[in-house]
PDB file of all heavy atoms in Angstrom:
ATOM      1  N   PHE A1412      19.787-196.280 -13.816  1.00  0.00           N
ATOM      2  CA  PHE A1412      20.742-197.340 -13.881  1.00  0.00           C
ATOM      3  C   PHE A1412      20.784-197.844 -15.320  1.00  0.00           C
ATOM      4  O   PHE A1412      19.874-197.629 -16.146  1.00  0.00           O
ATOM      5  CB  PHE A1412      20.415-198.503 -12.959  1.00  0.00           C
ATOM      6  CG  PHE A1412      20.166-198.032 -11.549  1.00  0.00           C
ATOM      7  CD1 PHE A1412      18.886-198.187 -10.976  1.00  0.00           C
ATOM      8  CD2 PHE A1412      21.212-197.577 -10.805  1.00  0.00           C
ATOM      9  CE1 PHE A1412      18.659-197.747  -9.666  1.00  0.00           C
ATOM     10  CE2 PHE A1412      20.956-197.175  -9.478  1.00  0.00           C
ATOM     11  CZ  PHE A1412      19.692-197.272  -8.881  1.00  0.00           C
ATOM     12  N   TYR A1413      21.838-198.621 -15.677  1.00  0.00           N
ATOM     13  CA  TYR A1413      21.922-199.250 -16.938  1.00  0.00           C
ATOM     14  C   TYR A1413      21.892-200.758 -16.681  1.00  0.00           C
ATOM     15  O   TYR A1413      22.502-201.304 -15.728  1.00  0.00           O
ATOM     16  CB  TYR A1413      23.294-198.933 -17.653  1.00  0.00           C
ATOM     17  CG  TYR A1413      23.552-199.778 -18.831  1.00  0.00           C
ATOM     18  CD1 TYR A1413      23.118-199.453 -20.059  1.00  0.00           C
ATOM     19  CD2 TYR A1413      24.272-200.966 -18.735  1.00  0.00           C
ATOM     20  CE1 TYR A1413      23.308-200.236 -21.205  1.00  0.00           C
ATOM     21  CE2 TYR A1413      24.541-201.801 -19.820  1.00  0.00           C
ATOM     22  CZ  TYR A1413      24.021-201.354 -21.070  1.00  0.00           C
ATOM     23  OH  TYR A1413      24.270-202.164 -22.195  1.00  0.00           O
ATOM     24  N   MET A1414      21.169-201.495 -17.560  1.00  0.00           N
ATOM     25  CA  MET A1414      21.113-202.952 -17.382  1.00  0.00           C
ATOM     26  C   MET A1414      20.900-203.580 -18.817  1.00  0.00           C
ATOM     27  O   MET A1414      20.059-203.130 -19.600  1.00  0.00           O
ATOM     28  CB  MET A1414      20.033-203.398 -16.457  1.00  0.00           C
ATOM     29  CG  MET A1414      20.088-204.888 -16.108  1.00  0.00           C
ATOM     30  SD  MET A1414      18.912-205.279 -14.748  1.00  0.00           S
ATOM     31  CE  MET A1414      19.620-204.305 -13.377  1.00  0.00           C
ATOM     32  N   SER A1415      21.627-204.649 -19.073  1.00  0.00           N
ATOM     33  CA  SER A1415      21.412-205.442 -20.312  1.00  0.00           C
ATOM     34  C   SER A1415      21.636-206.909 -20.054  1.00  0.00           C
ATOM     35  O   SER A1415      22.394-207.256 -19.098  1.00  0.00           O
ATOM     36  CB  SER A1415      22.357-204.912 -21.432  1.00  0.00           C
ATOM     37  OG  SER A1415      23.669-205.123 -21.109  1.00  0.00           O
ATOM     38  N   VAL A1416      20.994-207.714 -20.861  1.00  0.00           N
ATOM     39  CA  VAL A1416      21.170-209.121 -20.787  1.00  0.00           C
ATOM     40  C   VAL A1416      21.683-209.585 -22.227  1.00  0.00           C
ATOM     41  O   VAL A1416      20.998-209.215 -23.199  1.00  0.00           O
ATOM     42  CB  VAL A1416      19.895-209.913 -20.458  1.00  0.00           C
ATOM     43  CG1 VAL A1416      20.254-211.395 -20.189  1.00  0.00           C
ATOM     44  CG2 VAL A1416      19.210-209.337 -19.213  1.00  0.00           C
ATOM     45  N   LEU A1417      22.730-210.318 -22.255  1.00  0.00           N
ATOM     46  CA  LEU A1417      23.302-210.725 -23.575  1.00  0.00           C
ATOM     47  C   LEU A1417      24.182-211.943 -23.375  1.00  0.00           C
ATOM     48  O   LEU A1417      24.411-212.374 -22.265  1.00  0.00           O
ATOM     49  CB  LEU A1417      24.086-209.597 -24.187  1.00  0.00           C
ATOM     50  CG  LEU A1417      25.348-209.124 -23.529  1.00  0.00           C
ATOM     51  CD1 LEU A1417      26.229-208.321 -24.557  1.00  0.00           C
ATOM     52  CD2 LEU A1417      25.100-208.246 -22.298  1.00  0.00           C
ATOM     53  N   LEU A1418      24.678-212.458 -24.476  1.00  0.00           N
ATOM     54  CA  LEU A1418      25.559-213.650 -24.432  1.00  0.00           C
ATOM     55  C   LEU A1418      26.999-213.221 -24.339  1.00  0.00           C
ATOM     56  O   LEU A1418      27.491-212.365 -25.111  1.00  0.00           O
ATOM     57  CB  LEU A1418      25.313-214.507 -25.705  1.00  0.00           C
ATOM     58  CG  LEU A1418      26.254-215.689 -25.875  1.00  0.00           C
ATOM     59  CD1 LEU A1418      25.972-216.729 -24.830  1.00  0.00           C
ATOM     60  CD2 LEU A1418      26.128-216.342 -27.256  1.00  0.00           C
ATOM     61  N   ASN A1419      27.709-213.763 -23.357  1.00  0.00           N
ATOM     62  CA  ASN A1419      29.147-213.533 -23.276  1.00  0.00           C
ATOM     63  C   ASN A1419      29.786-214.640 -24.201  1.00  0.00           C
ATOM     64  O   ASN A1419      29.843-215.782 -23.862  1.00  0.00           O
ATOM     65  CB  ASN A1419      29.621-213.698 -21.843  1.00  0.00           C
ATOM     66  CG  ASN A1419      31.122-213.440 -21.713  1.00  0.00           C
ATOM     67  OD1 ASN A1419      31.886-213.462 -22.745  1.00  0.00           O
ATOM     68  ND2 ASN A1419      31.539-213.213 -20.481  1.00  0.00           N
ATOM     69  N   ARG A1420      30.203-214.188 -25.367  1.00  0.00           N
ATOM     70  CA  ARG A1420      30.671-215.163 -26.371  1.00  0.00           C
ATOM     71  C   ARG A1420      31.980-215.815 -25.938  1.00  0.00           C
ATOM     72  O   ARG A1420      32.272-216.951 -26.422  1.00  0.00           O
ATOM     73  CB  ARG A1420      30.836-214.457 -27.728  1.00  0.00           C
ATOM     74  CG  ARG A1420      29.527-213.964 -28.279  1.00  0.00           C
ATOM     75  CD  ARG A1420      29.654-213.365 -29.661  1.00  0.00           C
ATOM     76  NE  ARG A1420      28.416-212.858 -30.134  1.00  0.00           N
ATOM     77  CZ  ARG A1420      27.464-213.560 -30.710  1.00  0.00           C
ATOM     78  NH1 ARG A1420      27.633-214.851 -30.873  1.00  0.00           N
ATOM     79  NH2 ARG A1420      26.336-213.018 -31.149  1.00  0.00           N
ATOM     80  N   SER A1421      32.751-215.212 -25.118  1.00  0.00           N
ATOM     81  CA  SER A1421      34.054-215.837 -24.716  1.00  0.00           C
ATOM     82  C   SER A1421      33.855-217.036 -23.791  1.00  0.00           C
ATOM     83  O   SER A1421      34.630-217.927 -23.712  1.00  0.00           O
ATOM     84  CB  SER A1421      34.936-214.763 -24.051  1.00  0.00           C
ATOM     85  OG  SER A1421      34.357-214.319 -22.860  1.00  0.00           O
ATOM     86  N   THR A1422      32.695-217.013 -22.993  1.00  0.00           N
ATOM     87  CA  THR A1422      32.428-218.124 -22.136  1.00  0.00           C
ATOM     88  C   THR A1422      31.243-218.946 -22.547  1.00  0.00           C
ATOM     89  O   THR A1422      31.070-220.035 -21.982  1.00  0.00           O
ATOM     90  CB  THR A1422      32.165-217.560 -20.690  1.00  0.00           C
ATOM     91  OG1 THR A1422      30.977-216.739 -20.683  1.00  0.00           O
ATOM     92  CG2 THR A1422      33.350-216.788 -20.192  1.00  0.00           C
ATOM     93  N   GLY A1423      30.481-218.517 -23.490  1.00  0.00           N
ATOM     94  CA  GLY A1423      29.291-219.231 -23.959  1.00  0.00           C
ATOM     95  C   GLY A1423      28.163-219.195 -22.976  1.00  0.00           C
ATOM     96  O   GLY A1423      27.274-220.056 -23.005  1.00  0.00           O
ATOM     97  N   ARG A1424      28.141-218.186 -22.065  1.00  0.00           N
ATOM     98  CA  ARG A1424      27.101-218.067 -21.084  1.00  0.00           C
ATOM     99  C   ARG A1424      26.390-216.727 -21.176  1.00  0.00           C
ATOM    100  O   ARG A1424      27.033-215.697 -21.527  1.00  0.00           O
ATOM    101  CB  ARG A1424      27.658-218.227 -19.706  1.00  0.00           C
ATOM    102  CG  ARG A1424      28.178-219.610 -19.346  1.00  0.00           C
ATOM    103  CD  ARG A1424      28.657-219.638 -17.915  1.00  0.00           C
ATOM    104  NE  ARG A1424      29.058-221.023 -17.546  1.00  0.00           N
ATOM    105  CZ  ARG A1424      29.262-221.391 -16.244  1.00  0.00           C
ATOM    106  NH1 ARG A1424      29.234-220.484 -15.327  1.00  0.00           N
ATOM    107  NH2 ARG A1424      29.562-222.617 -15.971  1.00  0.00           N
ATOM    108  N   ASN A1425      25.132-216.696 -20.804  1.00  0.00           N
ATOM    109  CA  ASN A1425      24.413-215.399 -20.743  1.00  0.00           C
ATOM    110  C   ASN A1425      24.928-214.597 -19.587  1.00  0.00           C
ATOM    111  O   ASN A1425      25.394-215.217 -18.592  1.00  0.00           O
ATOM    112  CB  ASN A1425      22.869-215.638 -20.572  1.00  0.00           C
ATOM    113  CG  ASN A1425      22.218-216.219 -21.816  1.00  0.00           C
ATOM    114  OD1 ASN A1425      22.663-216.021 -22.873  1.00  0.00           O
ATOM    115  ND2 ASN A1425      21.197-217.056 -21.567  1.00  0.00           N
ATOM    116  N   MET A1426      24.892-213.323 -19.687  1.00  0.00           N
ATOM    117  CA  MET A1426      25.296-212.482 -18.570  1.00  0.00           C
ATOM    118  C   MET A1426      24.446-211.228 -18.434  1.00  0.00           C
ATOM    119  O   MET A1426      23.883-210.785 -19.423  1.00  0.00           O
ATOM    120  CB  MET A1426      26.777-212.087 -18.686  1.00  0.00           C
ATOM    121  CG  MET A1426      27.102-211.089 -19.759  1.00  0.00           C
ATOM    122  SD  MET A1426      28.817-210.574 -19.690  1.00  0.00           S
ATOM    123  CE  MET A1426      28.876-209.386 -21.023  1.00  0.00           C
ATOM    124  N   ILE A1427      24.340-210.741 -17.253  1.00  0.00           N
ATOM    125  CA  ILE A1427      23.678-209.452 -16.998  1.00  0.00           C
ATOM    126  C   ILE A1427      24.769-208.411 -16.770  1.00  0.00           C
ATOM    127  O   ILE A1427      25.573-208.591 -15.908  1.00  0.00           O
ATOM    128  CB  ILE A1427      22.721-209.541 -15.802  1.00  0.00           C
ATOM    129  CG1 ILE A1427      21.621-210.593 -16.065  1.00  0.00           C
ATOM    130  CG2 ILE A1427      22.117-208.166 -15.517  1.00  0.00           C
ATOM    131  CD1 ILE A1427      20.683-210.860 -14.876  1.00  0.00           C
ATOM    132  N   MET A1428      24.732-207.373 -17.570  1.00  0.00           N
ATOM    133  CA  MET A1428      25.724-206.298 -17.437  1.00  0.00           C
ATOM    134  C   MET A1428      24.958-205.056 -16.899  1.00  0.00           C
ATOM    135  O   MET A1428      23.851-204.723 -17.386  1.00  0.00           O
ATOM    136  CB  MET A1428      26.341-205.953 -18.772  1.00  0.00           C
ATOM    137  CG  MET A1428      27.406-204.963 -18.732  1.00  0.00           C
ATOM    138  SD  MET A1428      28.540-205.036 -20.257  1.00  0.00           S
ATOM    139  CE  MET A1428      27.325-204.762 -21.493  1.00  0.00           C
ATOM    140  N   TYR A1429      25.498-204.409 -15.845  1.00  0.00           N
ATOM    141  CA  TYR A1429      24.717-203.336 -15.267  1.00  0.00           C
ATOM    142  C   TYR A1429      25.653-202.285 -14.628  1.00  0.00           C
ATOM    143  O   TYR A1429      26.853-202.540 -14.409  1.00  0.00           O
ATOM    144  CB  TYR A1429      23.804-203.905 -14.168  1.00  0.00           C
ATOM    145  CG  TYR A1429      24.481-204.628 -13.025  1.00  0.00           C
ATOM    146  CD1 TYR A1429      24.705-204.118 -11.777  1.00  0.00           C
ATOM    147  CD2 TYR A1429      24.914-205.944 -13.195  1.00  0.00           C
ATOM    148  CE1 TYR A1429      25.317-204.759 -10.770  1.00  0.00           C
ATOM    149  CE2 TYR A1429      25.543-206.660 -12.163  1.00  0.00           C
ATOM    150  CZ  TYR A1429      25.721-206.062 -10.986  1.00  0.00           C
ATOM    151  OH  TYR A1429      26.363-206.749  -9.948  1.00  0.00           O
ATOM    152  N   SER A1430      25.102-201.130 -14.410  1.00  0.00           N
ATOM    153  CA  SER A1430      25.886-200.009 -13.882  1.00  0.00           C
ATOM    154  C   SER A1430      25.050-199.015 -13.152  1.00  0.00           C
ATOM    155  O   SER A1430      23.802-198.904 -13.471  1.00  0.00           O
ATOM    156  CB  SER A1430      26.670-199.323 -15.020  1.00  0.00           C
ATOM    157  OG  SER A1430      27.332-198.165 -14.577  1.00  0.00           O
ATOM    158  N   THR A1431      25.618-198.307 -12.211  1.00  0.00           N
ATOM    159  CA  THR A1431      24.899-197.230 -11.531  1.00  0.00           C
ATOM    160  C   THR A1431      24.796-196.009 -12.395  1.00  0.00           C
ATOM    161  O   THR A1431      24.055-195.066 -12.091  1.00  0.00           O
ATOM    162  CB  THR A1431      25.654-196.846 -10.233  1.00  0.00           C
ATOM    163  OG1 THR A1431      26.977-196.563 -10.581  1.00  0.00           O
ATOM    164  CG2 THR A1431      25.601-197.986  -9.230  1.00  0.00           C
ATOM    165  N   GLU A1432      25.601-195.966 -13.503  1.00  0.00           N
ATOM    166  CA  GLU A1432      25.664-194.786 -14.340  1.00  0.00           C
ATOM    167  C   GLU A1432      24.792-194.911 -15.576  1.00  0.00           C
ATOM    168  O   GLU A1432      25.282-194.936 -16.678  1.00  0.00           O
ATOM    169  CB  GLU A1432      27.132-194.531 -14.768  1.00  0.00           C
ATOM    170  CG  GLU A1432      28.113-194.469 -13.612  1.00  0.00           C
ATOM    171  CD  GLU A1432      27.791-193.462 -12.562  1.00  0.00           C
ATOM    172  OE1 GLU A1432      27.608-192.252 -12.938  1.00  0.00           O
ATOM    173  OE2 GLU A1432      27.620-193.807 -11.364  1.00  0.00           O
ATOM    174  N   GLY A1433      23.500-195.004 -15.359  1.00  0.00           N
ATOM    175  CA  GLY A1433      22.570-195.119 -16.482  1.00  0.00           C
ATOM    176  C   GLY A1433      22.372-193.797 -17.174  1.00  0.00           C
ATOM    177  O   GLY A1433      22.698-192.739 -16.663  1.00  0.00           O
ATOM    178  N   GLY A1434      21.785-193.799 -18.348  1.00  0.00           N
ATOM    179  CA  GLY A1434      21.464-192.566 -19.115  1.00  0.00           C
ATOM    180  C   GLY A1434      22.127-192.476 -20.432  1.00  0.00           C
ATOM    181  O   GLY A1434      22.647-193.499 -20.974  1.00  0.00           O
ATOM    182  N   MET A1435      22.185-191.303 -21.034  1.00  0.00           N
ATOM    183  CA  MET A1435      22.604-191.157 -22.438  1.00  0.00           C
ATOM    184  C   MET A1435      24.097-191.418 -22.664  1.00  0.00           C
ATOM    185  O   MET A1435      24.537-191.654 -23.734  1.00  0.00           O
ATOM    186  CB  MET A1435      22.265-189.747 -22.950  1.00  0.00           C
ATOM    187  CG  MET A1435      20.814-189.569 -23.199  1.00  0.00           C
ATOM    188  SD  MET A1435      20.421-188.150 -24.250  1.00  0.00           S
ATOM    189  CE  MET A1435      21.015-186.794 -23.236  1.00  0.00           C
ATOM    190  N   ASP A1436      24.949-191.283 -21.643  1.00  0.00           N
ATOM    191  CA  ASP A1436      26.368-191.367 -21.784  1.00  0.00           C
ATOM    192  C   ASP A1436      26.986-192.618 -21.315  1.00  0.00           C
ATOM    193  O   ASP A1436      28.135-192.655 -20.852  1.00  0.00           O
ATOM    194  CB  ASP A1436      27.003-190.129 -21.078  1.00  0.00           C
ATOM    195  CG  ASP A1436      26.647-188.802 -21.653  1.00  0.00           C
ATOM    196  OD1 ASP A1436      26.579-188.692 -22.894  1.00  0.00           O
ATOM    197  OD2 ASP A1436      26.359-187.915 -20.902  1.00  0.00           O
ATOM    198  N   ILE A1437      26.272-193.761 -21.445  1.00  0.00           N
ATOM    199  CA  ILE A1437      26.793-195.043 -20.991  1.00  0.00           C
ATOM    200  C   ILE A1437      28.030-195.477 -21.788  1.00  0.00           C
ATOM    201  O   ILE A1437      28.948-196.096 -21.198  1.00  0.00           O
ATOM    202  CB  ILE A1437      25.722-196.160 -21.050  1.00  0.00           C
ATOM    203  CG1 ILE A1437      26.185-197.445 -20.423  1.00  0.00           C
ATOM    204  CG2 ILE A1437      25.244-196.365 -22.461  1.00  0.00           C
ATOM    205  CD1 ILE A1437      26.469-197.335 -18.939  1.00  0.00           C
ATOM    206  N   GLU A1438      28.120-195.057 -23.040  1.00  0.00           N
ATOM    207  CA  GLU A1438      29.316-195.391 -23.853  1.00  0.00           C
ATOM    208  C   GLU A1438      30.566-194.750 -23.273  1.00  0.00           C
ATOM    209  O   GLU A1438      31.642-195.378 -23.221  1.00  0.00           O
ATOM    210  CB  GLU A1438      29.151-194.977 -25.278  1.00  0.00           C
ATOM    211  CG  GLU A1438      28.104-195.731 -26.068  1.00  0.00           C
ATOM    212  CD  GLU A1438      26.691-195.162 -25.912  1.00  0.00           C
ATOM    213  OE1 GLU A1438      26.543-194.203 -25.158  1.00  0.00           O
ATOM    214  OE2 GLU A1438      25.746-195.767 -26.547  1.00  0.00           O
ATOM    215  N   ALA A1439      30.400-193.492 -22.801  1.00  0.00           N
ATOM    216  CA  ALA A1439      31.549-192.826 -22.159  1.00  0.00           C
ATOM    217  C   ALA A1439      31.922-193.438 -20.888  1.00  0.00           C
ATOM    218  O   ALA A1439      33.131-193.539 -20.528  1.00  0.00           O
ATOM    219  CB  ALA A1439      31.185-191.344 -21.938  1.00  0.00           C
ATOM    220  N   VAL A1440      30.943-193.977 -20.107  1.00  0.00           N
ATOM    221  CA  VAL A1440      31.273-194.692 -18.845  1.00  0.00           C
ATOM    222  C   VAL A1440      32.092-195.967 -19.161  1.00  0.00           C
ATOM    223  O   VAL A1440      33.051-196.232 -18.476  1.00  0.00           O
ATOM    224  CB  VAL A1440      29.945-195.126 -18.141  1.00  0.00           C
ATOM    225  CG1 VAL A1440      30.282-195.955 -16.951  1.00  0.00           C
ATOM    226  CG2 VAL A1440      29.171-193.874 -17.746  1.00  0.00           C
ATOM    227  N   ALA A1441      31.677-196.639 -20.203  1.00  0.00           N
ATOM    228  CA  ALA A1441      32.442-197.902 -20.563  1.00  0.00           C
ATOM    229  C   ALA A1441      33.856-197.598 -21.014  1.00  0.00           C
ATOM    230  O   ALA A1441      34.803-198.335 -20.750  1.00  0.00           O
ATOM    231  CB  ALA A1441      31.711-198.629 -21.741  1.00  0.00           C
ATOM    232  N   GLU A1442      34.054-196.408 -21.628  1.00  0.00           N
ATOM    233  CA  GLU A1442      35.347-196.072 -22.165  1.00  0.00           C
ATOM    234  C   GLU A1442      36.295-195.496 -21.063  1.00  0.00           C
ATOM    235  O   GLU A1442      37.482-195.882 -20.981  1.00  0.00           O
ATOM    236  CB  GLU A1442      35.215-195.054 -23.275  1.00  0.00           C
ATOM    237  CG  GLU A1442      36.519-194.630 -23.906  1.00  0.00           C
ATOM    238  CD  GLU A1442      36.310-193.621 -25.056  1.00  0.00           C
ATOM    239  OE1 GLU A1442      35.199-193.309 -25.402  1.00  0.00           O
ATOM    240  OE2 GLU A1442      37.364-193.142 -25.541  1.00  0.00           O
ATOM    241  N   HIS A1443      35.762-194.635 -20.192  1.00  0.00           N
ATOM    242  CA  HIS A1443      36.562-193.940 -19.230  1.00  0.00           C
ATOM    243  C   HIS A1443      36.564-194.487 -17.823  1.00  0.00           C
ATOM    244  O   HIS A1443      37.556-194.341 -17.092  1.00  0.00           O
ATOM    245  CB  HIS A1443      36.134-192.474 -19.188  1.00  0.00           C
ATOM    246  CG  HIS A1443      36.244-191.749 -20.528  1.00  0.00           C
ATOM    247  ND1 HIS A1443      37.414-191.602 -21.186  1.00  0.00           N
ATOM    248  CD2 HIS A1443      35.254-191.183 -21.297  1.00  0.00           C
ATOM    249  CE1 HIS A1443      37.186-190.933 -22.333  1.00  0.00           C
ATOM    250  NE2 HIS A1443      35.908-190.727 -22.451  1.00  0.00           N
ATOM    251  N   THR A1444      35.469-195.110 -17.412  1.00  0.00           N
ATOM    252  CA  THR A1444      35.378-195.677 -16.089  1.00  0.00           C
ATOM    253  C   THR A1444      34.786-197.074 -16.106  1.00  0.00           C
ATOM    254  O   THR A1444      33.715-197.280 -15.562  1.00  0.00           O
ATOM    255  CB  THR A1444      34.554-194.762 -15.144  1.00  0.00           C
ATOM    256  OG1 THR A1444      33.277-194.519 -15.749  1.00  0.00           O
ATOM    257  CG2 THR A1444      35.230-193.425 -14.903  1.00  0.00           C
ATOM    258  N   PRO A1445      35.496-198.062 -16.758  1.00  0.00           N
ATOM    259  CA  PRO A1445      34.938-199.352 -16.910  1.00  0.00           C
ATOM    260  C   PRO A1445      34.710-200.061 -15.551  1.00  0.00           C
ATOM    261  O   PRO A1445      33.956-201.013 -15.476  1.00  0.00           O
ATOM    262  CB  PRO A1445      36.024-200.113 -17.678  1.00  0.00           C
ATOM    263  CG  PRO A1445      37.289-199.306 -17.551  1.00  0.00           C
ATOM    264  CD  PRO A1445      36.832-197.832 -17.366  1.00  0.00           C
ATOM    265  N   GLU A1446      35.336-199.615 -14.458  1.00  0.00           N
ATOM    266  CA  GLU A1446      35.152-200.220 -13.142  1.00  0.00           C
ATOM    267  C   GLU A1446      33.750-200.049 -12.629  1.00  0.00           C
ATOM    268  O   GLU A1446      33.342-200.717 -11.690  1.00  0.00           O
ATOM    269  CB  GLU A1446      36.228-199.693 -12.146  1.00  0.00           C
ATOM    270  CG  GLU A1446      36.057-198.227 -11.740  1.00  0.00           C
ATOM    271  CD  GLU A1446      36.683-197.281 -12.769  1.00  0.00           C
ATOM    272  OE1 GLU A1446      37.229-197.714 -13.814  1.00  0.00           O
ATOM    273  OE2 GLU A1446      36.718-196.052 -12.444  1.00  0.00           O
ATOM    274  N   LEU A1447      33.040-199.085 -13.226  1.00  0.00           N
ATOM    275  CA  LEU A1447      31.665-198.874 -12.828  1.00  0.00           C
ATOM    276  C   LEU A1447      30.650-199.717 -13.550  1.00  0.00           C
ATOM    277  O   LEU A1447      29.403-199.583 -13.350  1.00  0.00           O
ATOM    278  CB  LEU A1447      31.291-197.366 -13.067  1.00  0.00           C
ATOM    279  CG  LEU A1447      32.109-196.310 -12.275  1.00  0.00           C
ATOM    280  CD1 LEU A1447      31.666-194.901 -12.632  1.00  0.00           C
ATOM    281  CD2 LEU A1447      31.897-196.542 -10.789  1.00  0.00           C
ATOM    282  N   ILE A1448      31.128-200.608 -14.386  1.00  0.00           N
ATOM    283  CA  ILE A1448      30.227-201.535 -15.052  1.00  0.00           C
ATOM    284  C   ILE A1448      30.505-202.942 -14.470  1.00  0.00           C
ATOM    285  O   ILE A1448      31.577-203.470 -14.474  1.00  0.00           O
ATOM    286  CB  ILE A1448      30.478-201.513 -16.576  1.00  0.00           C
ATOM    287  CG1 ILE A1448      30.123-200.148 -17.167  1.00  0.00           C
ATOM    288  CG2 ILE A1448      29.635-202.642 -17.227  1.00  0.00           C
ATOM    289  CD1 ILE A1448      30.313-199.987 -18.590  1.00  0.00           C
ATOM    290  N   PHE A1449      29.400-203.568 -14.019  1.00  0.00           N
ATOM    291  CA  PHE A1449      29.443-204.902 -13.377  1.00  0.00           C
ATOM    292  C   PHE A1449      28.897-205.968 -14.320  1.00  0.00           C
ATOM    293  O   PHE A1449      28.111-205.672 -15.216  1.00  0.00           O
ATOM    294  CB  PHE A1449      28.632-204.904 -12.049  1.00  0.00           C
ATOM    295  CG  PHE A1449      29.084-203.864 -11.048  1.00  0.00           C
ATOM    296  CD1 PHE A1449      28.523-202.610 -11.016  1.00  0.00           C
ATOM    297  CD2 PHE A1449      30.038-204.197 -10.097  1.00  0.00           C
ATOM    298  CE1 PHE A1449      28.916-201.660 -10.103  1.00  0.00           C
ATOM    299  CE2 PHE A1449      30.419-203.287  -9.158  1.00  0.00           C
ATOM    300  CZ  PHE A1449      29.868-201.995  -9.140  1.00  0.00           C
ATOM    301  N   HIS A1450      29.382-207.176 -14.092  1.00  0.00           N
ATOM    302  CA  HIS A1450      28.906-208.281 -14.882  1.00  0.00           C
ATOM    303  C   HIS A1450      28.473-209.454 -13.955  1.00  0.00           C
ATOM    304  O   HIS A1450      29.152-209.728 -12.996  1.00  0.00           O
ATOM    305  CB  HIS A1450      29.997-208.841 -15.835  1.00  0.00           C
ATOM    306  CG  HIS A1450      30.596-207.801 -16.704  1.00  0.00           C
ATOM    307  ND1 HIS A1450      31.612-206.932 -16.308  1.00  0.00           N
ATOM    308  CD2 HIS A1450      30.325-207.441 -17.993  1.00  0.00           C
ATOM    309  CE1 HIS A1450      31.925-206.125 -17.251  1.00  0.00           C
ATOM    310  NE2 HIS A1450      31.188-206.385 -18.301  1.00  0.00           N
ATOM    311  N   GLU A1451      27.379-210.110 -14.288  1.00  0.00           N
ATOM    312  CA  GLU A1451      26.940-211.302 -13.586  1.00  0.00           C
ATOM    313  C   GLU A1451      26.624-212.400 -14.572  1.00  0.00           C
ATOM    314  O   GLU A1451      25.660-212.288 -15.366  1.00  0.00           O
ATOM    315  CB  GLU A1451      25.679-210.980 -12.756  1.00  0.00           C
ATOM    316  CG  GLU A1451      25.313-211.995 -11.769  1.00  0.00           C
ATOM    317  CD  GLU A1451      26.316-212.153 -10.630  1.00  0.00           C
ATOM    318  OE1 GLU A1451      26.957-211.151 -10.170  1.00  0.00           O
ATOM    319  OE2 GLU A1451      26.520-213.296 -10.186  1.00  0.00           O
TER     320      GLU A1451
END
């Protein structure tokens, strides 16, 4: 899986970003299948 914690600058709140598609090609997931990336 992929998981990161960072600041959402547009809302001024921390968020957890995560996906079932972890591994070396996470950039390609964000570009081609953004619906597979969740935000909390």
Side-chain angles (χ1 to χ4, degrees):
F1412 309 112
Y1413 170 88
M1414 190 171 295
S1415 63
V1416 189
L1417 68 162
L1418 176 67
N1419 184 342
R1420 295 184 182 278
S1421 63
T1422 62
R1424 293 183 171 191
N1425 292 329
M1426 71 174 180
I1427 298 175
M1428 186 161 57
Y1429 59 102
S1430 175
T1431 55
E1432 309 301 306
M1435 288 198 296
D1436 295 317
I1437 188 63
E1438 291 87 357
V1440 174
E1442 182 178 354
H1443 301 298
T1444 53
E1446 68 276 5
L1447 296 178
I1448 296 180
F1449 301 91
H1450 306 83
E1451 191 67 35

